[in-house]
Amino acid sequence: MDRVIYTAMTGAKYTLEQQGAVANNLANVDTAGFKEAMHRLRAVPVQTQALPSRAFTVDATVATNFEAGPLEYTGRPLDAAIEGQGWFAVQTPDGGEAYTRAGNFQLSANGILQLPSGQPVLGEDNQPVALPPDREFTIGKDGTISAVDPTNTQVTEVVGRLKLVNPPVENLQRGEDGLFRLQEGGASPMDETVQVSSGYLEKSNVSLVDQMVRMIALARQFEMNTKAITTAQENDARASSILSPAR
């Protein structure tokens, strides 16, 4: 009886949390560079001094689907997409380093290249990329940023280079801000083999259809768990009535 109640109870709890993850995936279906979050459940016995009759459902796998999303041409000079494997490096508010596949860069009022959420984009010198004013920019395959004077398009000057990294994905973990960091902390070295496509953005790798199907399946799973709890309660009441002494 305990096994049914505790498994169903914790199963219902984590099913609701999975619903939250699916809702977050759906909310980011149009977010550049977003990676799908995946959850998997399993039942584990509770280790106690009593009989091993209780089992909990736990969220055993909080994983990320690191498959690349489709590339979309925007024609915007400050948009860039990673070709194949690799990441853009950005600076976090605490001065640390984090990684993203979103290349929809913007210029701050101070000329700092940054994400729409405000994190500065790091250059090959591990410092935020600062760009000169009144220039047009292009991003090369290797992340090199060139500035062109609008009054004299024949003059091109290299003004910076994006820090492109390629750490093993199994060493990455997603933060609450949606950025990825090394599990052991620190910074990843620059990888000269990573290349980018200028004027493109990598779209989210979330499949709208798959997430809707997943949401329906989780709703049915939650209903099944709550029904199991109700059935266990009814069985317990019947067993109590049978075992109770007749009056």
Side-chain angles (χ1 to χ4, degrees):
M1 186 66 67
D2 275 359
R3 186 180 299 274
V4 173
I5 293 175
Y6 279 86
T7 302
M9 175 185 66
T10 53
K13 172 190 173 184
Y14 284 111
T15 297
L16 283 179
E17 292 188 4
Q18 283 199 16
Q19 284 276 34
V22 171
N24 184 62
N25 287 338
L26 288 172
N28 288 281
V29 71
D30 291 323
T31 301
F34 182 82
K35 299 303 175 189
E36 175 192 1
M38 302 182 296
H39 293 252
R40 297 291 183 268
L41 304 183
R42 66 184 179 93
V44 296
V46 179
Q47 302 298 326
T48 65
Q49 299 298 323
L51 293 175
S53 61
R54 296 179 179 179
F56 282 166
T57 299
V58 297
D59 198 343
T61 305
V62 183
T64 299
N65 177 8
F66 286 105
E67 291 184 6
L71 299 188
E72 180 182 51
Y73 178 72
T74 65
R76 184 172 172 269
L78 289 182
D79 283 345
I82 299 287
E83 296 181 0
Q85 297 181 338
W87 302 82
F88 299 110
V90 299
Q91 189 177 70
T92 55
D94 61 0
E97 186 172 293
Y99 309 109
T100 181
R101 297 274 295 192
N104 49 339
F105 304 135
Q106 300 177 352
L107 279 179
S108 71
N110 297 323
I112 300 298
L113 194 66
Q114 63 182 22
L115 297 180
S117 51
Q119 292 91 346
V121 179
L122 293 177
E124 60 181 347
D125 58 355
N126 293 316
Q127 297 298 318
V129 176
L131 300 180
D134 303 323
R135 294 291 188 273
E136 295 177 353
F137 303 100
T138 59
I139 300 177
K141 280 278 189 182
D142 61 351
T144 299
I145 304 175
S146 300
V148 180
D149 188 342
T151 62
N152 185 2
T153 58
Q154 301 299 319
V155 178
T156 302
E157 177 187 7
V158 175
V159 293
R161 187 182 180 189
L162 301 174
K163 181 178 181 181
L164 305 174
V165 302
N166 189 21
V169 294
E170 58 269 19
N171 294 343
L172 294 175
Q173 62 181 4
R174 192 198 307 262
E176 293 183 358
D177 54 5
L179 300 174
F180 290 85
R181 296 166 175 81
L182 295 176
Q183 294 181 6
E184 65 275 12
S188 178
M190 187 163 175
D191 191 326
E192 298 287 346
T193 65
V194 179
Q195 294 188 330
V196 302
S197 291
S198 178
Y200 286 83
L201 281 181
E202 180 183 343
K203 301 180 67 176
S204 169
N205 67 352
V206 174
S207 168
L208 180 62
V209 174
D210 289 346
Q211 294 303 304
M212 292 299 295
V213 171
R214 181 66 177 156
M215 180 168 283
I216 294 172
L218 287 171
R220 292 176 177 172
Q221 184 175 320
F222 179 80
E223 182 181 355
M224 179 185 66
N225 284 322
T226 54
K227 186 175 182 180
I229 295 174
T230 302
T231 301
Q233 183 180 21
E234 292 173 351
N235 290 343
D236 181 66
R238 291 170 184 165
S240 298
S241 64
I242 293 174
L243 296 176
S244 61
R247 295 182 179 178

